[in-house]
Amino acid sequence: MCGLWSYQSDATDLPDFDLVFKEIIHRGPDNTKVVHFGSVATLAFHRLAIMDTSHQGDQPLVDEAADVHVVCNGEIYNFPKLRAQYEKTYSFTSHSDCEVILPLYKEFGITKMNHHLDGEYAFVIWDNKAKKMLAGRDPIGIRPLFYGYAKRDGKIMFCSEAKGLVPFCDEVKPFPPGHYYDGQNFVCYRHFKQIPPHRDSHEIILKNIREKLIEGIRKRLAADVPIGFLLSGGLDSSLVCGIATKILNKKIITFSVGLDHNPIDIRYAKIVADYIKSDHHEVYFNKKDTLEIVPALIHQLETWDITTIRASIGMYLVCKYIHEKTKVKVLLTGEISDELFGYKYTDFAPNGEEFQNEAIKRIQELYMYDVLRADRCIAAHALEARVPFGDLDFVQYVMGIPGEKKLNTTGIGKFMLREAFKHDAIIPEDILWREKAAFSDAVGHSMVDYLKEHAEALYNDKDVAKAATKYPHGTPYTKESLWYRDLFEKSYAGQGKMIADFWLPNKTWANCNVSDPSARVLPNYGKSGV
């Protein structure tokens, strides 16, 4: 994770610029640089050194001949191939994976260069000859990027987190994933809305799921710093850990988190850790930790969504431990599998077409929910997140599997993903077929109860009834959600539209018209919570 900030004007006399820019230094404490291009542009960067940790990898990276400058928060996984392609025609000055953006821009321009990038990234380019500021973001939005227009002159600004723009812009918006900014307009270069369904046989589908996920993990194991793994004991993170152990053929470092009493997942994580023989760390927290962290957490998360906040508490605290107690700087996680293969509420999808439409919607919105949670919790502690289930080739393929094949017809969710690895023995058999609990519940059911009890003491029913007048967009509908929204507004007053809505199951489906986002309230939760 790194933190970028840019402005198509001069930032030297912006009020409190240094203080505002320092608000995102957690994303990159290894090096800070601010470059002014006279009165026409400013590029600023906080670096977390992952690839080429020398000062040669510091940003902005520059093409001196073309007078083009780039800041990029991300990892370009196909950079070895791209570097080899350009080595005879371009003079690289570092071994940073992000430097390949410069020869790509030189050859293809902003309109075509993104098609050649395989990675998780957000970048801003300043073309000093053309006097143009350009930008792009990966198709899933794994790396964050926001934009706004300065109050004082209407010029565009970009930042990795909204907190770096709010003091200077009336309205801050998420940069749409899979888009680039050409200096005037935002243009979509890739989406997952209309992927033609493929008609591969069941055996070929399983083979491709297996091989493409393994390759997605393999790409993400390259780093010049120590790598760790978040391990919940559920299917997704366990597969990532098991596959990585086999690829690396050595002991990996794993971390699990739970309340100091009754955590669901921590005991399953231990089973996996023992099986793969990892260097395993268990992190515990209590009621006091839960309630104390919420205000700072919401400031870091930049959201008011109930699900995101609940699920972030354990993740934030385990990442805090990793930053303070270990040398790990990169974390692999299991996010995005639910949106691709289905979760508890998609068991109620009435048909394959509706399952597919829901998957498309969730993938397109992930940057506001699970992906946001992973980014902010991890980056808040100067760590980098890598998300193998978000590998573009893997996502493209799985989204092309017809929806009817992904419906839960066996009573076991994500059946195809499980079946794809049933012969590998890389994780315990019981874990491969285990129904995972919702993350916000799995750290311990009582955590959510603590949050609700605290909100009950802060608000009454009249407060909730007045919420629609106070917050017409994303109106809080419980005392808990009102608490979160009030905290959000303290940092991001009037910016509530950065989040589209509450993350909730599809209410038009049977059994899914619920008001609490926890899968615990669904009738099919069953053994997931034990």
Side-chain angles (χ1 to χ4, degrees):
M1 295 295 175
C2 297
L4 67 82
W5 189 98
S6 66
Y7 177 29
Q8 194 166 358
S9 191
D10 186 4
T12 54
D13 60 347
L14 281 175
D16 297 321
F17 167 70
D18 290 342
L19 291 176
V20 175
F21 182 44
K22 197 173 284 187
E23 272 274 288
I24 63 165
I25 197 170
H26 51 268
R27 300 189 68 88
D30 295 334
N31 180 266
T32 293
K33 195 170 184 179
V34 180
V35 180
H36 301 281
F37 299 88
S39 63
V40 291
T42 304
L43 292 181
F45 198 73
H46 294 301
R47 185 186 181 203
L48 181 67
I50 302 296
M51 304 296 288
D52 187 355
T53 59
S54 74
H55 285 297
Q56 288 180 313
D58 291 346
Q59 298 191 32
L61 296 162
V62 184
D63 181 338
E64 297 282 1
D67 204 3
V68 174
H69 310 253
V70 64
V71 286
C72 178
N73 168 30
E75 296 293 339
I76 310 301
Y77 296 118
N78 62 336
F79 91 93
K81 178 181 177 182
L82 292 171
R83 187 182 176 98
Q85 180 181 323
Y86 287 110
E87 274 183 328
K88 292 182 180 179
T89 59
Y90 186 83
S91 297
F92 289 94
T93 60
S94 78
H95 293 282
S96 167
D97 55 298
C98 294
E99 193 175 2
V100 296
I101 289 173
L102 292 168
L104 279 173
Y105 173 70
K106 187 174 183 178
E107 180 174 358
F108 296 107
I110 193 67
T111 58
K112 294 182 179 179
M113 61 173 287
N114 289 278
H115 293 288
H116 297 268
L117 294 173
D118 175 13
E120 303 161 351
Y121 60 84
F123 66 80
V124 174
I125 292 171
W126 173 246
D127 188 327
N128 201 35
K129 286 185 178 178
K131 297 294 187 280
K132 293 183 76 172
M133 187 164 280
L134 314 147
R137 190 179 185 190
D138 70 70
I140 295 176
I142 291 173
R143 290 293 189 268
L145 191 61
F146 291 84
Y147 73 97
Y149 298 92
K151 299 173 188 177
R152 69 176 188 177
D153 61 9
K155 298 294 180 64
I156 198 162
M157 292 178 156
F158 298 98
C159 189
S160 294
E161 296 184 10
K163 56 182 66 69
L165 299 180
V166 168
F168 307 128
C169 305
D170 288 323
E171 184 178 12
V172 177
K173 296 181 180 181
F175 192 107
H179 283 64
Y180 63 83
Y181 174 73
D182 65 6
Q184 290 185 311
N185 302 301
F186 292 85
V187 181
C188 181
Y189 69 87
R190 187 170 182 181
H191 60 74
F192 300 99
K193 291 180 181 178
Q194 295 173 326
I195 295 176
H198 48 72
R199 298 297 172 185
D200 292 345
S201 68
H202 187 71
E203 291 72 22
I204 294 298
I205 288 174
L206 297 182
K207 177 176 180 290
N208 282 326
I209 288 173
R210 180 183 177 277
E211 291 179 355
K212 290 178 184 294
L213 181 58
I214 290 172
E215 181 57 27
I217 293 169
R218 187 190 310 276
K219 292 176 190 176
R220 287 159 175 79
L221 296 176
D224 295 333
V225 295
I227 296 176
F229 298 78
L230 294 183
L231 175 58
S232 70
L235 173 68
D236 310 322
S237 64
S238 297
L239 280 176
V240 171
C241 292
I243 293 167
T245 298
K246 188 172 183 179
I247 292 171
L248 294 170
N249 193 30
K250 67 178 185 180
K251 188 186 292 284
I252 66 170
I253 306 170
T254 55
F255 303 90
S256 62
V257 63
L259 279 169
D260 56 1
H261 66 283
N262 194 32
I264 299 167
D265 272 359
I266 211 162
R267 63 180 181 270
Y268 292 108
K270 181 68 162 56
I271 293 170
V272 178
D274 288 346
Y275 185 87
I276 65 175
K277 297 180 172 60
S278 68
D279 175 7
H280 188 57
H281 300 247
E282 294 179 348
V283 179
Y284 292 90
F285 64 100
N286 56 33
K287 180 178 181 179
K288 182 173 179 285
D289 299 326
T290 299
L291 299 179
E292 283 184 351
I293 202 66
V294 172
L297 179 65
I298 290 175
H299 178 74
Q300 287 292 350
L301 290 174
E302 305 178 337
T303 187
W304 39 260
D305 175 59
I306 303 168
T307 306
T308 308
I309 294 165
R310 287 179 181 175
S312 294
I313 291 170
M315 193 174 205
Y316 185 91
L317 292 170
V318 71
C319 290
K320 182 175 185 290
Y321 170 92
I322 293 167
H323 174 67
E324 293 175 352
K325 305 292 185 181
T326 79
K327 294 182 179 180
V328 166
K329 290 185 75 172
V330 173
L331 286 173
L332 271 69
T333 77
E335 271 74 31
I336 303 183
S337 176
D338 290 349
E339 288 73 20
L340 291 171
F341 291 99
Y343 187 49
K344 282 298 180 182
Y345 80 94
T346 57
D347 287 357
F348 300 108
N351 53 57
E353 182 180 4
E354 290 216 30
F355 181 103
Q356 190 70 1
N357 288 338
E358 187 73 6
I360 291 168
K361 178 180 186 294
R362 296 302 181 183
I363 289 293
Q364 295 291 115
E365 294 180 347
L366 264 174
Y367 70 99
M368 292 183 285
Y369 303 105
D370 271 11
V371 164
L372 179 153
R373 166 176 56 82
D375 173 86
R376 301 303 194 283
C377 290
I378 293 172
H381 298 99
L383 304 168
E384 174 172 285
R386 295 185 180 179
V387 189
F389 281 97
D391 183 78
L392 295 180
D393 185 46
F394 182 76
V395 172
Q396 184 85 15
Y397 185 80
V398 175
M399 291 297 287
I401 299 172
E404 58 268 19
K405 291 182 179 290
K406 289 179 278 191
L407 289 172
N408 184 355
T409 58
T410 65
I412 301 175
K414 303 180 186 176
F415 190 81
M416 283 194 300
L417 177 61
R418 301 173 195 273
E419 197 177 13
F421 288 93
K422 68 181 180 180
H423 299 302
D424 289 69
I426 55 171
I427 61 175
E429 187 79 3
D430 289 349
I431 300 296
L432 181 65
W433 298 101
R434 179 197 167 211
E435 288 292 314
K436 183 182 184 301
F439 190 70
S440 56
D441 293 327
V443 295
H445 278 159
S446 50
M447 187 198 76
V448 173
D449 298 333
Y450 297 155
L451 296 167
K452 289 181 176 181
E453 288 168 6
H454 187 75
E456 284 287 334
L458 291 176
Y459 299 96
N460 57 43
D461 292 340
K462 290 182 179 179
D463 295 325
V464 178
K466 294 175 182 176
T469 303
K470 193 175 181 181
Y471 304 122
H473 173 78
T475 301
Y477 59 93
T478 63
K479 294 169 187 175
E480 181 190 7
S481 61
L482 181 56
W483 176 33
Y484 298 158
R485 185 57 176 272
D486 281 347
L487 288 172
F488 172 88
E489 294 291 330
K490 286 183 179 179
S491 296
Y492 309 104
Q495 304 292 342
K497 290 184 179 179
M498 291 193 302
I499 305 299
D501 204 347
F502 291 101
W503 193 105
L504 285 164
N506 188 328
K507 292 193 173 191
T508 66
W509 293 350
N511 298 305
C512 292
N513 188 13
V514 295
S515 58
D516 192 294
S518 171
R520 206 197 324 179
V521 303
L522 299 175
N524 62 336
Y525 195 49
K527 294 183 179 179
S528 300
V530 297

